[in-house]
Short mmCIF file of all heavy atoms in Angstrom, two decimals:
data_model
loop_
_atom_site.label_atom_id
_atom_site.label_comp_id
_atom_site.label_asym_id
_atom_site.label_seq_id
_atom_site.Cartn_x
_atom_site.Cartn_y
_atom_site.Cartn_z
N PRO N 238 85.21 -131.81 68.90
CA PRO N 238 83.85 -131.56 68.40
C PRO N 238 83.80 -130.33 67.49
O PRO N 238 84.41 -129.30 67.77
CB PRO N 238 83.03 -131.36 69.67
CG PRO N 238 83.75 -132.19 70.69
CD PRO N 238 85.20 -132.00 70.36
N ARG N 244 89.99 -135.88 55.35
CA ARG N 244 90.69 -136.93 54.63
C ARG N 244 91.16 -137.99 55.62
O ARG N 244 91.60 -137.66 56.73
CB ARG N 244 91.88 -136.36 53.87
CG ARG N 244 92.35 -137.17 52.67
CD ARG N 244 93.17 -136.29 51.73
NE ARG N 244 94.35 -135.75 52.37
CZ ARG N 244 95.49 -136.43 52.51
NH1 ARG N 244 95.59 -137.66 52.04
NH2 ARG N 244 96.53 -135.88 53.10
N ARG N 273 83.75 -139.29 74.22
CA ARG N 273 83.60 -139.79 75.57
C ARG N 273 84.44 -141.05 75.73
O ARG N 273 85.03 -141.54 74.77
CB ARG N 273 82.13 -140.08 75.90
CG ARG N 273 81.50 -141.23 75.14
CD ARG N 273 80.04 -141.35 75.56
NE ARG N 273 79.48 -142.68 75.29
CZ ARG N 273 79.05 -143.09 74.11
NH1 ARG N 273 79.11 -142.30 73.07
NH2 ARG N 273 78.55 -144.31 73.95
N THR N 296 100.67 -149.71 73.23
CA THR N 296 101.63 -148.67 72.82
C THR N 296 101.01 -147.62 71.91
O THR N 296 101.74 -146.88 71.24
CB THR N 296 102.84 -149.31 72.10
OG1 THR N 296 102.35 -150.10 70.99
CG2 THR N 296 103.65 -150.19 73.02
N GLY N 297 99.68 -147.55 71.87
CA GLY N 297 99.05 -146.59 70.98
C GLY N 297 99.20 -145.15 71.46
O GLY N 297 99.26 -144.88 72.66
N GLY N 304 98.42 -127.39 61.93
CA GLY N 304 99.50 -127.08 61.00
C GLY N 304 100.29 -128.33 60.65
O GLY N 304 99.86 -129.46 60.88
N GLY N 310 106.61 -141.81 63.93
CA GLY N 310 107.24 -142.94 63.27
C GLY N 310 106.36 -144.12 62.96
O GLY N 310 106.56 -144.79 61.95
N VAL N 317 92.87 -136.13 58.60
CA VAL N 317 93.05 -134.70 58.37
C VAL N 317 91.71 -134.04 58.64
O VAL N 317 90.68 -134.44 58.08
CB VAL N 317 93.50 -134.41 56.92
CG1 VAL N 317 93.61 -132.90 56.68
CG2 VAL N 317 94.83 -135.09 56.65
N GLY N 320 90.10 -126.84 59.41
CA GLY N 320 90.74 -125.92 60.34
C GLY N 320 92.23 -126.22 60.50
O GLY N 320 92.83 -125.90 61.52
N SER N 340 75.87 -147.75 65.97
CA SER N 340 75.42 -147.63 67.37
C SER N 340 75.03 -148.97 67.95
O SER N 340 75.32 -149.27 69.10
CB SER N 340 74.22 -146.69 67.44
OG SER N 340 74.53 -145.46 66.85
N GLU N 372 86.34 -167.21 91.45
CA GLU N 372 87.48 -167.78 92.16
C GLU N 372 88.80 -167.32 91.56
O GLU N 372 89.88 -167.72 92.00
CB GLU N 372 87.43 -169.31 92.10
CG GLU N 372 86.15 -169.92 92.67
CD GLU N 372 85.93 -169.51 94.11
OE1 GLU N 372 86.88 -169.60 94.90
OE2 GLU N 372 84.79 -169.07 94.43
N ILE N 375 92.47 -162.12 92.33
CA ILE N 375 91.90 -160.77 92.27
C ILE N 375 92.58 -159.90 91.21
O ILE N 375 91.93 -159.09 90.53
CB ILE N 375 91.95 -160.09 93.67
CG1 ILE N 375 91.32 -158.71 93.64
CG2 ILE N 375 93.36 -160.02 94.22
CD1 ILE N 375 89.84 -158.67 93.27
N ALA N 399 98.15 -150.75 97.73
CA ALA N 399 97.61 -149.76 98.68
C ALA N 399 96.61 -150.41 99.65
O ALA N 399 96.54 -150.03 100.82
CB ALA N 399 96.95 -148.61 97.93
N LEU N 411 87.73 -162.03 99.37
CA LEU N 411 87.82 -160.71 100.00
C LEU N 411 86.59 -160.44 100.86
O LEU N 411 85.46 -160.64 100.42
CB LEU N 411 87.94 -159.60 98.93
CG LEU N 411 89.35 -159.29 98.43
CD1 LEU N 411 90.02 -160.49 97.78
CD2 LEU N 411 89.31 -158.11 97.46
N LEU N 420 88.13 -150.73 96.64
CA LEU N 420 87.44 -149.76 95.78
C LEU N 420 87.99 -148.35 96.00
O LEU N 420 88.27 -147.61 95.04
CB LEU N 420 85.93 -149.81 96.04
CG LEU N 420 85.06 -148.92 95.15
CD1 LEU N 420 85.30 -149.20 93.67
CD2 LEU N 420 83.58 -149.10 95.49
N ASN N 454 104.91 -141.76 90.74
CA ASN N 454 104.03 -142.05 91.88
C ASN N 454 103.91 -143.54 92.20
O ASN N 454 103.32 -143.91 93.21
CB ASN N 454 102.62 -141.52 91.60
CG ASN N 454 102.60 -140.00 91.40
OD1 ASN N 454 103.34 -139.28 92.04
ND2 ASN N 454 101.75 -139.55 90.49
N GLY N 462 112.55 -155.60 93.74
CA GLY N 462 113.85 -155.45 94.38
C GLY N 462 114.02 -154.14 95.15
O GLY N 462 114.92 -154.02 95.98
N PRO N 471 111.68 -155.56 100.42
CA PRO N 471 111.84 -155.52 98.96
C PRO N 471 110.57 -155.97 98.23
O PRO N 471 109.97 -156.98 98.60
CB PRO N 471 113.00 -156.49 98.68
CG PRO N 471 113.76 -156.56 99.97
CD PRO N 471 112.72 -156.39 101.06
N ALA N 482 103.12 -159.52 88.18
CA ALA N 482 102.45 -158.88 89.31
C ALA N 482 103.55 -158.46 90.28
O ALA N 482 104.55 -159.16 90.44
CB ALA N 482 101.49 -159.85 89.98
#
Side-chain angles (χ1 to χ4, degrees):
Chain N
R244 204 160 60 82
R273 68 182 201 279
T296 55
V317 177
S340 306
E372 303 302 313
I375 182 62
L411 274 60
L420 184 55
N454 299 324

